[in-house]
Amino acid sequence: MNISYKWLKEYVDFDLTPQQVCDALTSTGLEVDALEEVQSIRGGLKGLYVGKVLTCEAHPNSDHLHVTTVDLGHEVPSQIVCGAPNVAAGQKVIVADLGCVLYDGDKEFVIKKSKLRGVDSCGMICAEDEIGIGTSHAGIIVLPDDAVVGTPAAEYYHLESDWLIEIDITANRADALSHWGVARDLYAWLRQNGYETSLHRPTVADGFVADNNALPIDVVIENTEACLRYACVSITDCEVKESPEWLKNKLTTVGLRPINNIVDITNYIMMAYGQPLHTFDADMVKGHKIVVKTMPEGTPFVTLDGVEHKLSDRDLAICNAEEPMCIAGVFGGKGSGTYETTKHVVLESAYFHPTWIRKSARRHGLSTDASFRFERGIDPNGIIYALQQAALLCKELAGGKISMEIRDVYPTPIENAKVDLKYDYVHSLVGKDIAVENIKSICESLEMKVLSESADGLLIEVPAYRVDVTRPCDVVEDILRIYGYNNVEIPTQLKSSLVIKGEEDRKHKLQNLVSEQLVGAGFNEILNNSLTKTAYYGESETVVKIMNPLSSDLGVMRQTLLYGGLESIEHNVKRKNPNLKFFEFGNCYFFSPEKQNADDPMQAYKEEYFCGIWITGKRVEGSWAHPNEDSTYFELSAHVQNILQRIGMKQGQLVTKPSENPVFSAGIVIENRGGKKLIEMGILAKKLLKQFDLQQPVFFAELNWTQLMKATKKNEVLFTDIPKHPAVSRDLALLVDNAVEFAQIEQTARQAEKKLLKRVELFDVYEGKNLPAGKKSYAVNFILQDEEKTMNDKQIDAIMQKLIASLKKQLGAELR
């Protein structure tokens, strides 16, 4: 949204510099993206001064040039060669001094010391067209005798620069899509910060009087869902011509191209007050009747740009008695606009349902300044003011006559939202006690009406143009942005009810810990879009589909982090960066058709938080101390085990099964004892990698963070002092059946000795000759430690015998 600094000052009184205005607006939530000086004359007349011609002699080597000396207020007069026929001694003139830059269209040239026919010239005496204040080139500018020598030309001509403020408007702030809307926020900020100010705009109701009733227009709204209010007025005997300079300057400053006075008036009103208007040639309004309705599916319609569209039965159309003239709120129809031959016009000002306009604009691929505002919500109570202002400007600038009373059809008025605001709630949400008078003052400065007041809070009526303010938390947000986020001290922020607490706090803390751990291990964090390609999931019924996707690449919500990570790997590998270690935290989305319920449609949808880990390429490459080494699945597994250890997940709580997911050529699923899948990881299938043009192996793990947090919720993190007594290490070579897993050995050992057995580790597996059929050998290390005393041989031997006996009984293990 482009805002003119000078235009803004027409609505709110302030003496802030442009930069100070930008800082103020940013602090209120209207983030300023850029500030740019706009000069009404290119170059701003810099380097041009008032001078006095002291002498004027004929050039010795030319029949039309003159050699002059000109006083510019410097110590020494400047010698300037001039070719103008009207130059004479004693004149006050405009002089371009050395170094001045002048412009000729897109070209620019610098005034330098030069020789003209052998005579030095140190400047240039200028004509109107040479400095941009006019078009005449008949001679130099001759100023009145009272012009002061040495005065900068910009000061002499009272030239003032404007400043263009570019604001990034968030989707919820439709009320700020105009100069008046921005002025309201600035006014509230000025009041809160102790400035004397006022908010004002022209009064039009008293000056608006119909000149006659020569062109009455009837209005019928057939679709009251899509059109909540429609008003119009007719203007006759208009002269369509070029707009005056003041109007053209305003529009060009904010980036709009002037077209003609009628069209420019509607654009001016939109940029000034945020109300889009449309102008119809009254001769095209057949039957002198406007009908707001939908048309049959497939009705052909040609827009102003000459493109034919097929209307949907969900496109709202503005029709005359016979045919559609306009796609409501989006684009006008060919022939119904304003042209040089137009004499009579009908001005439209309306409130259309935002959803209808948004869908129509997307359906036809049309995006206009009007649709941008309608689809976000405009001020339903500003419609008549904008229409009256536009009609009066048509009288002033086009010589027209208001030829009917305003026809305003408003079947069901939009009510202002009422909000019950409690002071304790404000203090809790902000994290700081704000004075009651401040709260009330800020609400009133934002045009919120206090209906009643008690010791506990306020009952507030919010103006309808604030479409985003309907709840107490919305009002608190408005209070805080005007009060100033920077005025909430850091220590008090910790008291805010917005601070994450409890289980959510634990979830985020552990996420940060694991992120730091992975980054320390050489990983890079990635962040991918939750919207993803429909093709990744085929015809799956469990996928969450987007109702109005921008493209097939953004057609569904992701059900796994896998594909986004593979896209990132593909992007890097194609740019010669093949050795990659990525991780990502993000939501995944699921739909269960069997859980659909008309009373609660959201019951069928589920959202869970996941952590994805990708490893590919070389683990070590180009090291003088280590040979090149490829990454492996075991490296991935080690990182996953480290994460489980970091979040407090105990191995005894987990069950490992083979994965049947086709994305893996080999993989495992790790579940809790209740059968909930916590982790799935493995080697990605070559068929899948081929889709991403990847030739190298990729190892992937996906951790269901939501379920992991539930599984570790009751796990306590305990600490003990570092033991003062030494640990004892013992090894056993165990002969077991092929079906026995190491996890069973560890579990059996820990059950046999719960106090002194500290660690069980597998360091070798042997299968082959010299072993009985169906058997394998595990070499297992046991670490024993008594934290209170040094263990003796008798005690150690007793524990080891107990372990051997338990392993033999439970698993049939034998010593080799």
Side-chain angles (χ1 to χ4, degrees):
M1 177 67 194
N2 291 335
I3 295 294
S4 160
Y5 172 77
K6 291 172 69 174
W7 195 344
L8 195 61
K9 295 188 79 168
E10 295 178 13
Y11 304 128
V12 60
D13 299 324
F14 61 86
D15 56 3
L16 304 178
T17 65
Q19 185 57 57
Q20 288 174 322
V21 170
C22 292
D23 294 341
L25 293 177
T26 298
S27 73
T28 66
L30 301 179
E31 183 180 359
V32 174
D33 186 56
L35 176 65
E36 179 184 348
E37 186 177 6
V38 179
Q39 299 166 331
S40 56
I41 296 177
R42 190 178 178 189
L45 301 183
K46 293 178 181 178
L48 293 158
Y49 301 93
V50 173
K52 181 177 181 180
V53 180
L54 302 177
T55 64
C56 181
E57 306 290 341
H59 194 291
N61 300 319
S62 172
D63 58 358
H64 68 281
L65 296 177
H66 297 84
V67 180
T68 67
T69 54
V70 183
D71 180 12
L72 293 176
H74 303 326
E75 293 182 2
V76 179
S78 300
Q79 179 175 286
I80 299 174
V81 177
C82 179
N86 64 328
V87 64
Q91 292 174 335
K92 297 287 182 69
V93 293
I94 296 293
V95 177
D97 203 359
L98 295 177
C100 175
V101 180
L102 297 180
Y103 301 90
D104 181 12
D106 293 333
K107 299 178 182 178
E108 61 180 50
F109 58 95
V110 180
I111 301 300
K112 301 177 181 177
K113 183 177 180 180
S114 59
K115 283 193 175 185
L116 297 176
R117 299 282 182 93
V119 177
D120 289 339
S121 181
C122 299
M124 175 178 170
I125 305 176
C126 301
E128 286 183 0
D129 64 332
E130 291 169 333
I131 64 172
I133 65 167
T135 58
S136 173
H137 196 69
I140 59 171
I141 303 166
V142 179
L143 304 177
D145 290 339
D146 59 358
V148 179
V149 171
T151 303
E155 181 180 329
Y156 178 81
Y157 285 109
H158 305 291
L159 186 68
E160 293 183 9
S161 293
D162 198 356
W163 292 84
L164 181 65
I165 303 170
E166 186 179 332
I167 301 176
D168 287 337
I169 302 292
T170 52
N172 64 315
R173 292 303 308 277
D175 63 294
L177 288 171
S178 66
H179 285 75
W180 178 246
V182 173
R184 284 187 299 230
D185 267 18
L186 182 59
Y187 166 74
W189 183 91
L190 289 167
R191 281 194 56 185
Q192 170 62 26
N193 286 274
Y195 290 89
E196 290 291 331
T197 185
S198 63
L199 185 67
H200 45 78
R201 64 180 180 178
T203 302
V204 295
D206 296 338
F208 182 88
V209 179
D211 297 302
N212 54 56
N213 199 36
L215 186 57
I217 302 294
D218 189 22
V219 174
V220 176
I221 301 178
E222 291 188 4
N223 190 324
T224 54
E225 176 195 346
C227 180
L228 287 80
R229 187 176 191 180
Y230 192 96
C232 72
V233 67
S234 62
I235 314 291
T236 58
D237 300 325
C238 295
E239 181 185 358
V240 178
K241 58 184 179 179
E242 186 178 356
S243 295
E245 286 299 320
W246 70 265
L247 179 53
K248 290 194 294 184
N249 287 339
K250 282 182 181 292
L251 296 180
T252 53
T253 296
V254 296
L256 296 181
R257 179 175 62 88
I259 298 174
N260 60 53
N261 52 353
I262 302 298
V263 175
D264 292 349
I265 286 169
T266 61
N267 284 333
Y268 167 77
I269 294 297
M270 179 178 67
M271 298 306 295
Y273 307 113
Q275 173 64 49
L277 303 177
H278 189 73
T279 308
F280 296 104
D281 187 323
D283 295 338
M284 301 296 176
V285 185
K286 298 175 183 179
H288 290 181
K289 184 176 183 180
I290 289 176
V291 183
V292 187
K293 62 181 182 179
T294 55
M295 300 298 292
E297 183 75 33
T299 301
F301 179 77
V302 181
T303 46
L304 280 169
D305 56 2
V307 177
E308 181 175 305
H309 298 262
K310 299 294 184 183
L311 296 182
S312 162
D313 60 1
R314 299 291 292 174
D315 289 328
L316 187 67
I318 310 301
C319 308
N320 56 34
E322 301 176 8
E323 60 190 358
M325 301 183 294
C326 173
I327 301 176
V330 180
F331 219 104
K334 188 174 183 180
S336 66
T338 305
Y339 305 93
E340 291 182 359
T341 56
T342 299
K343 294 297 181 185
H344 315 303
V345 299
V346 177
L347 294 174
E348 164 198 281
S349 183
Y351 182 95
F352 302 116
H353 195 289
T355 303
W356 279 72
I357 302 305
R358 184 176 69 253
K359 290 185 176 181
S360 287
R362 300 296 181 273
R363 193 176 294 123
H364 296 286
L366 299 171
S367 180
T368 60
D369 287 332
S371 68
F372 186 81
R373 286 162 174 79
F374 278 126
E375 65 191 35
R376 284 161 174 77
I378 61 167
D379 181 7
N381 299 320
I383 286 169
I384 300 304
Y385 176 88
L387 193 59
Q388 290 175 330
Q389 176 84 298
L392 292 174
L393 285 171
C394 285
K395 285 186 65 174
E396 178 185 345
L397 304 183
K401 297 182 179 64
I402 301 174
S403 297
M404 65 177 283
E405 296 293 339
I406 287 179
R407 180 82 167 94
D408 181 19
V409 181
Y410 198 5
T412 308
I414 298 172
E415 295 185 359
N416 294 336
K418 292 181 175 62
V419 177
D420 189 7
L421 185 68
K422 301 299 184 185
Y423 296 133
D424 286 345
Y425 179 73
V426 176
H427 304 327
S428 171
L429 209 58
V430 173
K432 178 181 180 178
D433 290 353
I434 299 178
V436 170
E437 286 305 313
N438 273 5
I439 294 174
K440 185 177 177 181
S441 172
I442 291 172
C443 289
E444 290 175 339
S445 67
L446 288 171
E447 299 186 342
M448 297 179 188
K449 185 178 180 182
V450 177
L451 299 178
S452 63
E453 183 177 1
S454 67
D456 296 331
L458 306 170
L459 179 61
I460 295 172
E461 184 178 66
V462 181
Y465 63 78
R466 287 308 305 274
V467 295
D468 62 320
V469 181
T470 57
R471 305 166 298 173
C473 60
D474 300 327
V475 177
V476 174
E477 180 185 354
D478 261 16
I479 291 171
L480 186 52
R481 66 186 183 82
I482 300 301
Y483 178 77
Y485 289 95
N486 292 336
N487 292 326
V488 180
E489 298 81 4
I490 291 177
T492 63
Q493 287 179 346
L494 301 179
K495 302 175 185 177
S496 170
S497 62
L498 293 176
V499 173
I500 299 172
K501 299 174 183 177
E503 185 59 26
E504 279 297 307
D505 184 34
R506 174 177 170 271
K507 170 185 168 183
H508 286 282
K509 282 183 177 178
L510 287 176
Q511 178 181 330
N512 287 335
L513 281 172
V514 169
S515 297
E516 291 172 0
Q517 177 175 308
L518 289 171
V519 169
F523 282 81
N524 287 298
E525 185 172 10
I526 59 174
L527 185 65
N528 287 296
N529 199 338
S530 295
L531 298 176
T532 188
K533 294 181 180 179
T534 308
Y536 288 152
Y537 301 97
E539 300 298 324
S540 173
E541 294 183 356
T542 63
V543 74
V544 180
K545 298 178 181 178
I546 305 301
M547 294 181 65
N548 296 297
L550 296 176
S551 70
S552 60
D553 286 350
L554 300 171
V556 298
M557 304 292 285
R558 65 187 178 190
Q559 290 189 312
T560 173
L561 302 177
L562 170 62
Y563 301 113
L566 288 177
E567 289 174 358
S568 299
I569 291 173
E570 178 189 14
H571 180 86
N572 279 270
V573 169
K574 287 182 176 178
R575 286 156 180 79
K576 308 299 181 183
N577 185 27
N579 304 326
L580 303 166
K581 296 165 78 173
F582 288 152
F583 76 95
E584 178 180 10
F585 282 93
N587 286 315
C588 292
Y589 309 86
F590 307 90
F591 173 65
S592 302
E594 69 278 2
K595 293 184 179 179
Q596 280 187 295
N597 186 326
D599 296 331
D600 185 11
M602 294 308 295
Q603 186 176 339
Y605 295 89
K606 183 175 69 170
E607 176 181 326
E608 289 190 316
Y609 204 58
F610 283 81
C611 172
I613 301 174
W614 297 259
I615 298 177
T616 187
K618 301 285 186 185
R619 179 173 177 270
V620 180
E621 184 178 43
S623 171
W624 66 270
H626 196 290
N628 291 351
E629 181 182 334
D630 291 332
S631 294
T632 65
Y633 165 79
F634 300 104
E635 182 184 354
L636 174 71
S637 178
H639 287 298
V640 172
Q641 294 297 329
N642 289 339
I643 290 173
L644 293 177
Q645 186 176 0
R646 189 64 177 264
I647 66 176
M649 175 63 76
K650 299 174 182 177
Q651 290 295 329
Q653 298 175 280
L654 304 175
V655 176
T656 302
K657 297 179 179 179
S659 172
E660 297 179 0
N661 194 331
V663 302
F664 295 110
S665 60
I668 62 169
V669 173
I670 300 177
E671 300 177 347
N672 64 12
R673 292 293 177 185
K676 287 280 187 182
K677 184 167 73 173
L678 304 178
I679 302 167
E680 190 167 16
M681 62 181 179
I683 307 169
L684 292 178
K686 291 183 178 180
K687 183 179 178 180
L688 173 63
L689 298 180
K690 190 175 181 181
Q691 296 178 30
F692 295 88
D693 200 21
L694 295 173
Q695 306 298 321
Q696 61 195 54
V698 178
F699 309 99
F700 173 66
E702 190 164 61
L703 293 74
N704 189 322
W705 201 253
T706 301
Q707 294 299 332
L708 283 171
M709 292 302 101
K710 290 180 181 178
T712 58
K713 184 177 181 180
K714 295 182 179 180
N715 290 359
E716 291 184 346
V717 178
L718 303 176
F719 73 93
T720 58
D721 291 334
I722 297 174
K724 299 178 181 179
H725 304 282
V728 176
S729 175
R730 291 290 187 269
D731 296 337
L732 293 178
L734 300 171
L735 190 65
V736 296
D737 293 336
N738 281 338
V740 175
E741 296 180 353
F742 169 70
Q744 294 173 272
I745 293 175
E746 181 181 12
Q747 183 179 1
T748 301
R750 291 189 180 280
Q751 288 175 349
E753 177 54 56
K754 297 179 179 179
K755 182 180 179 182
L756 301 180
L757 180 62
K758 301 301 181 182
R759 197 161 68 242
V760 183
E761 293 182 350
L762 177 68
F763 64 89
D764 188 40
V765 179
Y766 175 72
E767 294 178 279
K769 60 183 180 179
N770 300 326
L771 291 181
K775 297 287 186 176
K776 60 183 175 183
S777 174
Y778 278 148
V780 183
N781 176 250
F782 299 87
I783 302 296
L784 307 174
Q785 188 173 38
D786 189 334
E787 296 176 1
E788 297 178 358
K789 62 182 179 179
T790 301
M791 297 180 69
N792 55 43
D793 290 341
K794 184 178 179 180
Q795 186 182 13
I796 296 168
D797 290 341
I799 293 173
M800 293 305 297
Q801 289 303 317
K802 183 167 63 171
L803 291 175
I804 292 169
S806 182
L807 291 168
K808 184 174 182 178
K809 180 180 179 181
Q810 300 291 332
L811 303 175
E814 298 178 6
L815 290 179
R816 285 188 65 194

